[in-house]
Amino acid sequence: MAAAAAAAAAAALAAADPPPAMPQAAGAGGPAARRDFYWLRSFLAGGIAGCCAKTTVAPLDRVKVLLQAHNHHYKHLGVFSALRAVPQKEGYLGLYKGNGAMMIRIFPYGAIQFMAFEHYKTLITTKLGVSGHVHRLMAGSMAGMTAVICTYPLDMVRVRLAFQVKGEHTYTGIIHAFKTIYAKEGGFLGFYRGLMPTILGMAPYAGVSFFTFGTLKSVGLSHAPTLLGRPSSDNPNVLVLKTHINLLCGGVAGAIAQTISYPFDVTRRRMQLGTALPEFEKCLTMWETMKYVYGHHGIRRGLYRGLSLNYIRCVPSQAVAFTTYELMKQFFHLN
């Protein structure tokens, strides 16, 4: 979900501010160029890592959209049976439907979020006098919202393409989807259906994930410092969690946060699909959509449909993202 991606990126930014370029003697072979292009290289590294991670879990994302919106071809199926059914009906490339729009979205999303995070962090510190974990949480949430608003139309198009089933195509591609939505669904505002539940879902996701991670870290280091912690590489007097424990705590925090905010994600997806769903006129607002889903499908098969898939996709996605980003950092000389 967009909220999840935003909060995860905010957490990464909060945990690892980029190091300043080391001063070098004049004529050392382009130190100024390296310093000037640091943000570009960092942006490219993050964008490539994000694209690789999203492509890895694209089949799970496609099935998630189909299950969340109760596509009539697959609404009777579960996660794994849907993963088998999609290739049988649409071929293996059917699992990657809508992934092209996601790849186009991931680059500007990362760039906007990163720049907005730095701007908001400085603004909150200088204007409001807030510092520490609070100002990073606030800046991360605000940066995520900014990035979501700026790139939301691409997410809308991706969901529409992912919901289509072979032989029943409303849109022939990304450009055609943009033109059709603009012409038939209220112009520019048509691209922002479902934005409100996205924004509302991000606040609890970010808050709960940061709170849970901080609590787990504090409890772990206070009760089992030798087993779970190690001295920080830049300050031996400070204990930090070991890498695998860090990832575990982050995964638990993300799972809890996703569980709380997931109904907003389901609501957003259904609103994004708009006229692609037969019950379109009954789901014009966020509350109407939530009421409809709950009334017709209940909690487990409605507001939380596809949640188990969301848990499954987090592990490979994070693993690929971290691994690719480390390789790209070496490739672009970011270390």
Side-chain angles (χ1 to χ4, degrees):
M1 61 188 280
L13 289 168
D17 291 331
M22 294 297 290
Q24 298 180 21
R34 289 213 165 203
R35 205 161 43 240
D36 290 342
F37 289 103
Y38 180 87
W39 303 113
L40 175 61
R41 289 181 283 121
S42 191
F43 163 61
L44 289 173
I48 292 170
C51 287
C52 290
K54 286 293 183 181
T55 301
T56 302
V57 298
L60 298 176
D61 275 331
R62 171 87 203 283
V63 168
K64 177 185 164 187
V65 170
L66 294 172
L67 294 182
Q68 280 183 330
H70 293 81
N71 184 285
H72 66 279
H73 289 283
Y74 304 103
K75 64 181 180 180
H76 59 288
L77 301 176
V79 172
F80 296 106
S81 52
L83 280 170
R84 291 192 297 268
V86 171
Q88 291 174 0
K89 182 174 180 60
E90 306 177 53
Y92 282 100
L93 288 180
L95 292 170
Y96 289 88
K97 192 171 290 183
N99 194 51
M102 174 58 81
M103 295 302 99
I104 295 172
R105 173 181 175 264
I106 215 74
F107 265 87
Y109 183 93
I112 293 167
Q113 187 177 44
F114 186 83
M115 290 184 291
F117 176 80
E118 292 298 329
H119 175 74
Y120 288 137
K121 191 171 67 171
T122 303
L123 190 67
I124 291 169
T125 304
T126 55
K127 300 295 184 182
L128 302 180
V130 180
S131 59
H133 296 296
V134 176
H135 91 295
R136 291 190 172 192
L137 173 59
M138 292 171 63
S141 297
M142 292 166 66
M145 291 181 197
T146 303
V148 165
I149 291 170
C150 292
T151 61
Y152 196 80
L154 282 167
D155 193 41
M156 162 80 81
V157 169
R158 180 190 74 85
V159 171
R160 293 291 180 95
L161 294 176
F163 188 70
Q164 293 186 135
V165 176
K166 188 176 182 179
E168 300 178 6
H169 284 191
T170 304
Y171 313 105
T172 57
I174 296 174
I175 302 300
H176 182 249
F178 267 110
K179 290 180 178 179
T180 305
I181 294 171
Y182 183 84
K184 296 185 177 180
E185 299 186 35
F188 188 71
L189 290 178
F191 292 109
Y192 283 90
R193 282 182 52 84
L195 179 63
M196 186 56 67
T198 303
I199 299 298
L200 292 178
M202 182 174 296
Y205 182 90
V208 172
S209 60
F210 273 87
F211 172 78
T212 305
F213 181 79
T215 303
L216 290 173
K217 179 181 178 180
S218 176
V219 171
L221 291 178
S222 61
H223 287 81
T226 307
L227 180 63
L228 304 179
R230 63 173 177 81
S232 174
S233 58
D234 58 342
N235 188 349
N237 295 320
V238 176
L239 270 183
V240 295
L241 292 173
K242 294 177 180 177
T243 303
H244 62 287
I245 302 298
N246 222 342
L247 290 172
L248 178 62
C249 290
V252 172
I256 294 173
Q258 281 183 8
T259 303
I260 293 173
S261 62
Y262 194 75
F264 288 105
D265 189 40
V266 172
T267 303
R268 172 175 67 103
R269 290 298 185 215
R270 295 186 75 93
M271 291 185 71
Q272 283 180 327
L273 288 168
T275 54
L277 297 176
E279 65 272 15
F280 165 65
E281 294 183 352
K282 299 176 183 178
C283 303
L284 296 177
T285 68
M286 183 181 76
W287 298 117
E288 285 178 354
T289 305
M290 279 190 160
K291 185 178 178 181
Y292 179 87
V293 173
Y294 175 75
H296 285 74
H297 306 290
I299 295 177
R300 189 169 69 87
R301 294 185 176 276
L303 294 175
Y304 279 93
R305 183 169 171 83
L307 179 62
S308 59
L309 181 59
N310 228 33
Y311 293 147
I312 295 169
R313 60 190 275 278
C314 282
V315 176
S317 176
Q318 292 289 15
V320 171
F322 276 117
T323 304
T324 308
Y325 187 64
E326 288 303 313
L327 291 172
M328 289 299 103
K329 280 171 66 178
Q330 297 172 49
F331 181 79
F332 289 114
H333 303 286
L334 294 172
N335 291 318

